[in-house]
Amino acid sequence: MSAAMDTESTYSGYSHYSGHSKKAHRQGRDRHKSPRSKDGSRSEKSVTIQTPPAEPLLGNDASQVEDGQDDNWGETTTAITGTSEHSISQEDIARISKDLEDSVGLDCKRYLGLTVATVLGLFVFLTPIAFILLPQILWRDDLEPCGAVCEGLFISVAFKLIILLIGTWTLFFRQPKADIPRVFVFRALLLVLIFLFVFSYWLFYGVRILDLKDTNYQGIVQYAVSLVDALLFIHYLAIVLLELRQLQPMFAVKVVRSTDGESRYYSLGHLSIQRAALVVLENYYRDFPVYNPALLTASKSRAAKHMAGLKVYNVDGPGNNAAGQSRAMIAAAARRRDSSHNELYYEEADQERRVKKRRARLVVAVEEAFTHIKRLQAEEQQKAPGEVMDPREAAQAIFPSMARALQKYLRTTRQQQYHSMESILQHLSFCITNNMTPKAFLERYLNPGPTLQYDRDRWFSKQWTLVSGEAVTSGLQDGIVFVLKCLDFSLVVNVKKIPFIKLSEEFIDPKSHKFVLSLQSETSV
Amino acid sequence: QYSAVVSFSPFQQRIEIHKLRQGDNLILGFSIGGGIDQDPSQNPFSEDKTDKGIYVTRVTEGGPAEVAGLQIGDKIMQVNGWDMTMVTHDQARKRLTKRNEEVVRLLVTRQSLQKAVQQSMMS
């Protein structure tokens, strides 16, 4: 791997060409480099239709496609491709180092917080029991006998402790869904509060009861009961602060993906920025269509063409007038007669037509395949009622008839790296088992689904960084913007307050706003 | 409970109509319009367009009503002693078409004769 990286760090355009023999080591995410060969053809202002070379069935990791398309590659300008080469190699390094960080060692901070909370919880839980038992152990004979009242108090202490235990377990000991950088302010406050509270109770207990060896046992038990009551109230406070406060929606949050502009709105309550980021990320995996770098090549090629169109030569000798140069470039670009909008329009119309055609072929092929299955099932039922065809076998039987249409469609919509042959066969046998129609089977392939639907290796987005101007533990306010970055793209989050709605009451005469149909009927008698 | 509005109309007449038997029905030979559930502003015969009383809108030729002297545009005030100034359209119809009555005695009021002639010429 290090040899490949050495080759890539140079700026020469042909380094990629020499490096392609090491493609087997690279992972699938380098695929988005392949359409760059189209840059070369576009910058010459001609529309060429690149027929991709005949690709083997989807099972192979599409490393062989780059061979056919690399032939035109040498015509592109080296400056642009050189920089993108460099950035890719840096990203590779970044990715590798992050992977290493993941696997090495446990996260000490998370476990530290958890252990502190558990220890404190145990201490707090055992305190009332200790309050009640210590006098019995230490000076049993001196204690006044305490009848039914004490027994009632014992029962109430026991049940309140059980309720407290169940409540705390439900509220706090849930599987942590995520790992966040800073401490939860409210949780920390509550822990401190509980600690101080119990500490002061122990203080009073030690001074007033243990030292003086108080004989009024009923008083001691009531002291313990008051502690448990107060703990229940603190638990109530915890519920309100940690759970109820953020339920009522106060902010509308807009999340925009930087690469393709996909946006969603979410409603959030009073949360800290880090928790809001968590909510956004959880919803990202479910709502946003999967990030597909292959779909961005068209805009990248257009951008490359804009940059490649103008070159600035400094003929007046040394002296770097950078500002003047950029202004001159912008002015020249504005004056240039640009027909790229035309190209965009026809290209998009073409692409749409192509996709629709392939989709029609695909739908027909899949429908035929499914009717074939039905026929087979009918035959099976007539022949031997005991033998039922295994769905896996049925899937394998009909797969070849629609494999080609499906493969072509996926390639046209650039989704082919998300579906391997094995996954398609699995999905097919799943659909056959559950008696799904062809349309239900195709639903997965016709449109790009949310990120959760795909294999984890294809996600492109596992490590996130929160970039925020304000402190991440501060609450959400109107107008806050923060960014969630991952390696390939970022999510820009914009927070807006839900407007205050004022409803007022006004009396309106019922006759004046209702429509009454007045009739004039005539009856003959 | 209603308040009876007594208006001194210029022309009140008592008309006695003998019902004509046609098959199974007893017919009177005229049509009524109006009622407290109807729209008074669409009544072409009333002088006061908020008047929700029962008016005679048509009189069949040669029928018992015409023979008895009922005219188009008459406002029916009473039928056999029952008040008709504050009834719904359907109640009015029922009061006029009782099956066991062969004679109905109406108290009608009419606008001035000139106006009645004008209206009958226009309609």
Side-chain angles (χ1 to χ4, degrees):
Chain A
M1 198 57 183
S2 57
M5 287 200 294
D6 283 342
T7 344
E8 289 171 30
S9 58
T10 61
Y11 273 79
S12 100
Y14 292 97
S15 65
H16 172 79
Y17 205 75
S18 61
H20 83 271
S21 55
K22 299 189 180 50
K23 245 190 288 288
H25 296 292
R26 293 196 208 154
Q27 305 185 15
R29 63 187 295 274
D30 293 338
R31 267 204 46 82
H32 69 274
K33 282 190 289 194
S34 58
R36 204 178 306 116
S37 53
K38 291 186 186 161
D39 291 348
S41 48
R42 289 280 163 68
S43 60
E44 295 165 325
K45 292 244 180 205
S46 64
V47 178
T48 54
I49 299 169
Q50 297 257 3
T51 53
E55 214 180 339
L57 217 48
L58 294 161
N60 299 347
D61 191 18
S63 46
Q64 296 171 11
V65 179
E66 306 209 18
D67 283 341
Q69 291 175 338
D70 276 338
D71 294 341
N72 305 334
W73 200 86
E75 295 164 10
T76 57
T77 56
T78 52
I80 299 157
T81 51
T83 44
S84 51
E85 280 296 338
H86 192 67
S87 64
I88 285 174
S89 67
Q90 277 204 339
E91 284 170 12
D92 276 348
I93 297 172
R95 198 163 33 87
I96 292 163
S97 63
K98 278 192 194 275
D99 286 346
L100 282 177
E101 274 173 11
D102 266 355
S103 52
V104 166
L106 301 168
D107 206 329
C108 297
K109 204 163 35 137
R110 196 208 302 178
Y111 286 113
L112 182 70
L114 201 59
T115 44
V116 164
T118 320
V119 164
L120 188 65
L122 270 175
F123 173 62
V124 164
F125 185 72
L126 294 174
T127 300
I129 302 177
F131 283 178
I132 296 177
L133 288 179
L134 276 177
Q136 292 272 358
I137 297 170
L138 293 177
W139 60 93
R140 188 185 209 136
D141 309 319
D142 301 329
L143 284 177
E144 290 168 20
C146 172
V149 183
C150 270
E151 276 151 26
L153 290 175
F154 287 152
I155 295 175
S156 81
V157 164
F159 275 99
K160 280 177 190 167
L161 280 178
I162 290 176
I163 291 173
L164 203 58
L165 192 66
I166 295 176
T168 315
W169 172 74
T170 315
L171 199 58
F172 297 116
F173 290 103
R174 289 179 285 195
Q175 285 274 6
K177 291 180 288 187
D179 193 16
I180 46 171
R182 295 278 172 118
V183 139
F184 268 137
V185 172
F186 281 135
R187 277 199 198 180
L189 272 176
L190 277 170
L191 285 178
V192 167
L193 182 68
I194 292 177
F195 177 71
L196 284 176
F197 181 72
V198 173
F199 181 71
S200 60
Y201 257 79
W202 270 109
L203 206 60
F204 275 102
Y205 188 75
V207 167
R208 293 293 176 85
I209 297 178
L210 284 180
D211 276 353
L212 304 177
K213 295 211 189 286
D214 194 2
T215 52
N216 179 10
Y217 194 51
Q218 188 178 335
I220 297 173
V221 177
Q222 273 176 341
Y223 186 74
V225 171
S226 73
L227 170 65
V228 181
D229 287 341
L231 283 177
L232 277 174
F233 282 122
I234 293 187
H235 189 256
Y236 157 76
L237 184 69
I239 295 180
V240 164
L241 273 184
L242 294 181
E243 300 286 320
L244 287 184
R245 193 166 169 260
Q246 57 241 31
L247 285 182
Q248 193 177 35
M250 294 280 310
F251 297 101
V253 157
K254 179 173 184 178
V255 184
V256 181
R257 186 157 62 183
S258 64
T259 48
D260 55 355
E262 282 280 337
S263 63
R264 295 281 185 283
Y265 273 95
Y266 299 114
S267 283
L268 295 179
H270 275 294
L271 290 175
S272 60
I273 291 185
Q274 59 184 2
R275 291 188 69 178
L278 270 182
V279 171
V280 163
L281 280 180
E282 281 160 20
N283 287 326
Y284 166 79
Y285 283 109
R286 185 197 59 179
D287 289 332
F288 278 72
V290 67
Y291 167 70
N292 196 348
L295 291 173
L296 305 170
T297 53
S299 49
K300 274 192 194 160
S301 69
R302 274 201 301 277
K305 201 169 63 104
H306 286 311
M307 280 201 342
L310 290 175
K311 280 191 157 75
V312 178
Y313 295 100
N314 203 348
V315 293
D316 289 336
N320 200 3
N321 187 6
Q325 271 184 13
S326 54
R327 256 185 281 133
M329 275 192 76
I330 293 171
R335 269 186 233 123
R336 185 174 64 167
R337 276 193 56 192
D338 198 358
S339 63
S340 56
H341 59 273
N342 228 2
E343 242 178 69
L344 172 64
Y345 170 70
Y346 283 114
E347 179 193 321
E348 280 193 346
D350 249 353
Q351 173 74 1
E352 224 179 275
R353 209 172 34 88
R354 232 179 295 145
V355 167
K356 279 194 180 154
K357 244 201 200 162
R358 292 264 167 99
R359 181 201 160 115
R361 284 200 199 129
L362 173 62
V363 169
V364 162
V366 171
E367 278 174 1
E368 277 175 20
F370 271 68
T371 48
H372 183 57
I373 289 185
K374 282 213 174 66
R375 233 181 296 130
L376 279 179
Q377 276 180 346
E379 281 172 13
E380 290 284 330
Q381 278 181 354
Q382 284 168 6
K383 273 193 283 186
E387 295 171 8
V388 181
M389 188 137 99
D390 187 25
R392 177 98 192 153
E393 288 168 7
Q396 276 168 342
I398 57 168
F399 180 68
S401 61
M402 58 166 168
R404 188 148 183 79
L406 184 59
Q407 173 194 338
K408 276 196 172 160
Y409 181 79
L410 288 180
R411 215 169 329 114
T412 314
T413 53
R414 305 192 203 221
Q415 290 176 20
Q416 70 270 36
Q417 67 263 35
Y418 288 102
H419 304 285
S420 66
M421 184 166 90
E422 185 52 41
S423 77
I424 298 177
L425 272 174
Q426 255 181 11
H427 188 235
L428 189 52
S429 51
F430 170 78
C431 290
I432 293 173
T433 319
N434 291 312
N435 238 344
M436 291 200 194
T437 55
K439 212 169 175 191
F441 164 71
L442 279 177
E443 164 272 329
R444 193 179 219 214
Y445 303 107
L446 288 179
N447 297 311
T451 318
L452 279 177
Q453 194 177 306
Y454 300 100
D455 201 19
R456 278 193 87 108
D457 312 329
R458 297 279 166 217
W459 276 10
F460 285 110
S461 51
K462 284 180 267 194
Q463 278 261 358
W464 294 91
T465 316
L466 174 58
V467 177
S468 153
E470 288 81 14
V472 295
T473 49
S474 65
L476 287 179
Q477 303 278 339
D478 187 27
I480 283 188
V481 175
F482 59 92
V483 178
L484 284 159
K485 280 201 172 124
C486 77
L487 278 178
D488 301 298
F489 58 93
S490 51
L491 296 173
V492 180
V493 181
N494 203 340
V495 178
K496 285 195 181 42
K497 204 170 150 84
I498 293 179
F500 178 74
I501 299 172
K502 194 166 169 205
L503 281 180
S504 59
E505 193 183 325
E506 200 182 299
F507 177 73
I508 297 180
D509 190 14
K511 284 192 215 129
S512 65
H513 71 96
K514 280 196 201 159
F515 176 67
V516 177
L517 188 60
S518 318
L519 303 168
Q520 184 72 8
S521 19
E522 196 182 335
T523 320
S524 59
V525 292
Chain B
Q1 203 178 3
Y2 62 92
S3 54
V5 175
V6 179
S7 58
F8 292 96
S9 17
F11 209 77
Q12 273 199 0
Q13 190 176 0
R14 289 189 187 276
I15 293 179
E16 193 174 292
I17 305 178
H18 296 263
K19 292 190 189 176
L20 179 66
R21 182 167 288 278
Q22 256 191 10
D24 210 16
N25 304 326
L26 285 166
I27 61 160
L28 288 156
F30 64 96
S31 300
I32 52 166
I36 53 175
D37 55 338
Q38 306 285 311
D39 185 10
S41 56
Q42 294 183 29
N43 192 343
F45 305 109
S46 57
E47 207 173 81
D48 176 14
K49 288 304 171 192
T50 57
D51 183 7
K52 292 190 174 182
I54 306 291
Y55 281 79
V56 176
T57 53
R58 250 187 326 123
V59 179
T60 42
E61 295 241 340
E66 195 186 20
V67 164
L70 195 65
Q71 290 183 14
I72 187 172
D74 287 352
K75 178 177 173 182
I76 303 176
M77 311 290 286
Q78 286 179 13
V79 172
N80 284 346
W82 295 98
D83 171 64
M84 297 289 262
T85 54
M86 278 289 188
V87 291
T88 64
H89 190 87
D90 207 41
Q91 281 172 342
R93 177 191 61 85
K94 281 185 184 157
R95 295 244 176 91
L96 284 166
T97 54
K98 283 200 156 63
R99 293 181 78 88
N100 50 0
E101 288 173 355
E102 293 232 351
V103 178
V104 286
R105 293 181 177 85
L106 310 176
L107 179 67
V108 303
T109 180
R110 200 171 290 160
Q111 290 168 354
S112 67
L113 196 59
Q114 195 179 25
K115 266 197 186 164
V117 168
Q118 274 176 355
Q119 294 226 347
S120 63
M121 280 194 343
M122 278 195 295
S123 58

